[in-house]
Amino acid sequence: MSFDLSVWALHDGATPEDVRAAVRQCHEGRHGERYPDPRVVAFYRAITASYPDRPAHQGTPWEVSPLHAAADHVALNLVPTCDDQVLLDIERLAGEYDLMLFDPQDGSVYPPPSRLAR
């Protein structure tokens, strides 16, 4: 069974409930028509530079590849044996790109450190 995370580019001031609502919309197949958020694009490029998702092959941390990338988020399905460093890199990059991190295992939402300091 995979370990899942997703990173979200929502408006400044977004709450954990805003993230959960966006996750529900995604699961319902509702993705608004909009240009990709530059933060999501930058995160995707950075994480896949370290851990490529194409072509799919053994030895990557991804249970599902290519990664699901939408205009406002990237879903990350990780193998259960994934290295802790991968999780640390995801968390670090989410913070660098001002993305909120969603953990569907328990519904937790982690705002980027930059938002906590405000």
Side-chain angles (χ1 to χ4, degrees):
M1 181 172 195
S2 68
F3 176 77
D4 304 330
L5 292 170
S6 55
V7 293
W8 292 83
L10 298 181
H11 58 87
D12 197 22
T15 66
E17 190 48 46
D18 293 330
V19 174
R20 291 184 194 100
V23 169
R24 283 191 298 276
Q25 288 178 349
C26 176
H27 288 166
E28 294 167 359
R30 295 187 291 147
H31 295 94
E33 298 280 329
R34 62 182 261 199
Y35 289 106
D37 189 294
R39 298 171 293 171
V40 170
V41 173
F43 174 88
Y44 177 83
R45 287 180 179 161
I47 199 67
T48 59
S50 296
Y51 308 103
D53 67 335
R54 297 167 200 246
H57 59 84
Q58 284 189 315
T60 69
W62 313 124
E63 180 79 19
V64 175
S65 61
L67 302 178
H68 167 77
D72 60 353
H73 70 280
V74 177
L76 310 152
N77 307 100
L78 299 136
V79 296
T81 57
C82 130
D83 232 19
D84 286 345
Q85 186 60 51
V86 177
L87 299 173
L88 293 171
D89 289 342
I90 290 168
E91 183 178 287
R92 176 181 54 78
L93 290 170
E96 282 181 27
Y97 296 111
D98 198 32
L99 301 170
M100 298 180 86
L101 189 62
F102 176 72
D103 180 348
Q105 281 72 219
D106 65 4
S108 296
V109 176
Y110 303 95
S114 61
R115 291 192 188 170
L116 294 175
R118 292 180 191 165

